[in-house]
Amino acid sequence: MKLPMDIKLARLRELMKTASPTLSKGQGDQESGGGGVGLSAYVVPSEDAHQSEYTAAPHKRRQFISGFTGSAATAVITMDKALLWTDGRYFLQAEKELDPDHWQLMKMNTPPFPEIHKWLADNCSRGSYVGIDPTLISENTWQKWGKELATRESKLVPVSQNLVDMVWAEAAEERLAYEEKELFVYPLQYAGEKWEGKVDRVKAQMEEEKCELLVVSELDEIAWLFNLRGSDIEFNPVFFAYAIISANQNPLLFVNQSKLTSEVKQHLEGVVLKPYEEVFTVLDEMVQKCVEQKLKVWMGPQVSHALASTVTGKDEKLLLVKNTPTKMLKAIKNECEVECMRQVHIKDGIALCEYLRILHTNLCRSSTGTEGSSKKEFTEISGSDMLDGLRSQQEGFISLSFDTISGSGPNGAVIHYKASPHTDRKLCADELYLVDSGGQYWEGTTDVTRTVSFLSSPPPKQVETYTLVLKGHIALAELVIPEGVIGYKIDCVARSALWEIGLDYQHGTGHGVGAFLNVHEGPQGISYRTNAHEEGLRENMILSNEPGYYESGQFGIRIESLMVYRKHVTKYTLHEGKKFLKPETITCVPLCRQLIDKSMLSDKEVNWVNDYHQFCWDKLTPLAEKQGKTELIEWLKKQTQPL
Amino acid sequence: MKLPMDIKLARLRELMKTASPTLSKGQGDQESGGGGVGLSAYVVPSEDAHQSEYTAAPHKRRQFISGFTGSAATAVITMDKALLWTDGRYFLQAEKELDPDHWQLMKMNTPPFPEIHKWLADNCSRGSYVGIDPTLISENTWQKWGKELATRESKLVPVSQNLVDMVWAEAAEERLAYEEKELFVYPLQYAGEKWEGKVDRVKAQMEEEKCELLVVSELDEIAWLFNLRGSDIEFNPVFFAYAIISANQNPLLFVNQSKLTSEVKQHLEGVVLKPYEEVFTVLDEMVQKCVEQKLKVWMGPQVSHALASTVTGKDEKLLLVKNTPTKMLKAIKNECEVECMRQVHIKDGIALCEYLRILHTNLCRSSTGTEGSSKKEFTEISGSDMLDGLRSQQEGFISLSFDTISGSGPNGAVIHYKASPHTDRKLCADELYLVDSGGQYWEGTTDVTRTVSFLSSPPPKQVETYTLVLKGHIALAELVIPEGVIGYKIDCVARSALWEIGLDYQHGTGHGVGAFLNVHEGPQGISYRTNAHEEGLRENMILSNEPGYYESGQFGIRIESLMVYRKHVTKYTLHEGKKFLKPETITCVPLCRQLIDKSMLSDKEVNWVNDYHQFCWDKLTPLAEKQGKTELIEWLKKQTQPL
């Protein structure tokens, strides 16, 4: 039974009236401990208990309650209002998907819309309770919101029983059951380091910080640490688990037993395996010992309030909130991972080039302006299906690394576009086509965007803006940096060519990418946004380089390649040991020649393009030959000629 | 009687043993309120009660107690140690000046040296008291340090009676008496806006933030707000005062009566004038009323703990700590101020060009390598004395805006070099010469650095690095930015040419500059350091553009001009109202031609240099003619020829 929105909200509001906050010591007013206190507002975040960006179907609570399907948003329900905060990428989609009779869109980072916690403080009556599932909010956010609410004598309260789940339970068939999927070992030939060695390096950092325990709750960190992968979340080869590393005992992994094959169990010899659900009780006991001995516990800033409060509820001073060592160690790839990532980009490049060749062959208009009648037709969806198929033919392919973005003409301007039968456009020579896609392979993860025109001379503004985006892409690809520079301090180099003529793009320039892990990973990034937990760029980190330009209702341009920061030998040496890094682009897919105005490029930029095309040719042709793709080699030959 | 260091420290330690923290409500343990508690450590900052960068002689307490004369450092004295924290600019100087028998240098931002508050927490025994004069520490720092100390059950305690002053009193003749100097009105023809209008704009922002009171403690903000100037601090035309703006009453200015001429009093009609010292008692009463009515009080993050605690001691929630509106309004110049700043840079340029011409004439070696015998000789000091003299001859000159930095050869590599008879080098053709100087004039404030060689073909590395520094200077001067971008996000454009060959410079690229006010002003800046209180760049802000390169023991290069961010009309318009800015360079002093390797510059960069030189020629020659400086015109003609 699909519940109508008014029923859903009415049921939720019923539950809010009698909700029982779980107010343990240090978490709130002790006098209001027991029975229902009534909530003025209930907050439903997008994330799961691991603060995952992508979530499994049973965790899509915010989507269930609001009807909005985008990946990032927070819903707030009060007795008479229902509001959804989302960011600029999703304004159009949210306006379409939200039922205006019930829901109000709150635009993030857009005056005069207030931030969520400010709105809560200003709109809930003084002394109110605002409820949230404490496993779904990071400790950082908890602290910030709680402080704001306190200015109105209101309180953020943890409600352990998830109220949306209770409503959802009544709509049983709408909720996909959670399915246990088996883990698999990530072989040493790809991982490059045994998990035991990783644990030792983690422990060394714990020792430096004088921490007795480290709690790891982010799924990619756990998968990386133990050289395991899973299939619990679409696109991300991770599995639901928690890990606790203790200075002097064996590591603990909390994961459901039914996921564990005998191979995995053997691989994990020396790890204490516990059921997933036991993390809270086990941690509680371990923390108790730390408290008695005044030993510190380390958790990442994304850790849930529920986990953090096992420590803060006993002794606030014992909690160290700081990026976990697993996060940084995972992001700095070893040489084996780097080499695997290089290799995987060759086969991934073959798949995307083959797709672009087919489109090119079928869509390119001859110079007389007529289209050949024998040519095949493609739409955004049939095109991306073909691309997905080509990718899956490559050896070692596991899955896509995210939903392919396949946008023609105006749809290319929708940054997080997902084609639906509703919006599906026919690909045609008149429209610029943007395709952003990637795969998960045994050897690693890919993410690449190319924007192509099928015209021999595309409209001037498309050429101008493509060339400016390319200038930004080259500027970042060529930028030598001192190791440790934080990404937001260099993001501008990819924008300055656009700024000069009054243009810009409303997304970051680069995100971290995992090695057969999440396509978005921290702590590294290159964005115009300042992120307090972002860390500096280090040797062997992998990031995307993806400036763009989006002309609403007309076309979108993005040029995205992955790059690995490598040590750069400089002419001079500043003072002892200051290391400089330079990106090595590892994506092998030629750029769209017709969209480049050579006269706008400096000699150095022209050389960069020619060198890059030579690199694509050198890397792709041996594999294309091996795969017998002679037409592709012909096509590559043309595409990679010097400008 | 000049007290020897061991006596000074012994006296201070005596006083620390019996110090009486002023622990009022909310400021600490109430039980320890009355008598002396004994301090484990006493902290002596550089700043005065207004967090001024430059201080008046009687406020140079840190210098008195430590013997270190640099502008930025913090001293910490314990029962058995005396430590001084300073930053990279001052390591060499501190090593020279500190008495190693008593003092230990702690290098800031240099592992393994800990931060001050971490050191205090780790080195004072548990439960200690760390004392400080609460008027000399910003509320922000107070909070941060207090939190750190609390992790060891130690406490930061306010000691109202300044212990260094007590020691200093015994060395009476060493301490310069404080001299009351008269204020003067800053005429409307320069200020461009009446103080009443400024107060109205401040009140409008207070209304937006729903604040009843605004407390202004930074001296340049007070001078700007009331269109007054003073002479209390060398180089900075400010005066000791506090201001309180109240939503519904007349503004209050706390300034000693003896400083007030009848003209100033007339100018301030409508302002309630109170003695400087009364600020605490008056504020206390006003805050009391705010507390009763739950009204908010606004103070800047730099406000002293002593001021902030008048509010936090009663009700923490009523204090808004955020950059004051005066800070931002002051930094955004009006059209009159911009035009005055443009004009003042012409006469200042004449003075510096005349100096460089004289040096050039007397020091340039002919191509045969022999120096003419009739030529005059100069040293770093006699040269800068001549420059100061030339500047003072310009109409409207008031004072220098900072101590002239005149550094030849290796001394040019000392970023904050001040020549002394001890270090004074003869200027000669073999050495690169760096001169960083500026003046205060009725029309505004200047700050300019030029690096010159007196050789017709200087050594290749000097040419190479000068040209790279110039490339960075041009990149920033040409960078179009969206209004509101924070400076640390664009600083890299001035460094990337140096980074490419493994070089860098350890200072920010740009600082704000006042209009006949402080040569360093916030909240704007362009630095590699992230500053939580820095605000985005706005139209009509004035900043320096001063990349550099320093080869220790060899030479220093810095190219500094001031620029004003002006609205830039772009080819395209992004979305409604997004404004782009481009710097307009206002300093008029040609660059050193022999140090430029044209082959390293792009066409665009060559054009920039030629356009800049044309601008210098156009601006300087009319005034040079008026001043009858024919030799200067000849010299300028040569210097401003196209490359």
Side-chain angles (χ1 to χ4, degrees), chain A residues 61 123 268 318 638:
Chain A
R61 300 173 176 106
N123 289 275
L268 289 175
L318 294 181
K638 277 185 219 148

Short mmCIF file of all heavy atoms in Angstrom, two decimals, chain A residues 61 123 268 318 638:
data_model
loop_
_atom_site.label_atom_id
_atom_site.label_comp_id
_atom_site.label_asym_id
_atom_site.label_seq_id
_atom_site.Cartn_x
_atom_site.Cartn_y
_atom_site.Cartn_z
N ARG A 61 14.99 7.06 4.08
CA ARG A 61 13.85 7.54 4.89
C ARG A 61 13.41 8.93 4.47
O ARG A 61 12.24 9.24 4.43
CB ARG A 61 14.25 7.55 6.37
CG ARG A 61 14.65 6.18 6.89
CD ARG A 61 15.19 6.27 8.30
NE ARG A 61 15.48 4.94 8.81
CZ ARG A 61 16.71 4.44 8.95
NH1 ARG A 61 17.77 5.17 8.63
NH2 ARG A 61 16.88 3.23 9.42
N ASN A 123 11.74 29.17 14.86
CA ASN A 123 10.36 28.81 14.58
C ASN A 123 9.72 27.84 15.57
O ASN A 123 8.51 27.68 15.55
CB ASN A 123 10.23 28.27 13.16
CG ASN A 123 10.41 29.37 12.13
OD1 ASN A 123 9.46 30.07 11.79
ND2 ASN A 123 11.64 29.56 11.67
N LEU A 268 40.39 -12.83 7.85
CA LEU A 268 40.31 -11.94 9.01
C LEU A 268 40.86 -12.58 10.29
O LEU A 268 40.52 -12.14 11.39
CB LEU A 268 38.86 -11.50 9.24
CG LEU A 268 38.30 -10.51 8.21
CD1 LEU A 268 36.83 -10.25 8.48
CD2 LEU A 268 39.09 -9.19 8.23
N LEU A 318 37.40 13.08 27.14
CA LEU A 318 38.13 11.91 26.63
C LEU A 318 37.90 11.67 25.15
O LEU A 318 38.52 10.80 24.55
CB LEU A 318 37.76 10.67 27.44
CG LEU A 318 38.20 10.72 28.90
CD1 LEU A 318 37.81 9.44 29.61
CD2 LEU A 318 39.71 10.95 29.01
N LYS A 638 42.39 10.03 -35.58
CA LYS A 638 41.90 11.37 -35.94
C LYS A 638 41.80 12.27 -34.71
O LYS A 638 42.17 13.44 -34.75
CB LYS A 638 40.52 11.26 -36.61
CG LYS A 638 40.58 10.94 -38.09
CD LYS A 638 39.17 10.99 -38.69
CE LYS A 638 39.02 9.86 -39.71
NZ LYS A 638 37.67 9.33 -39.81
#
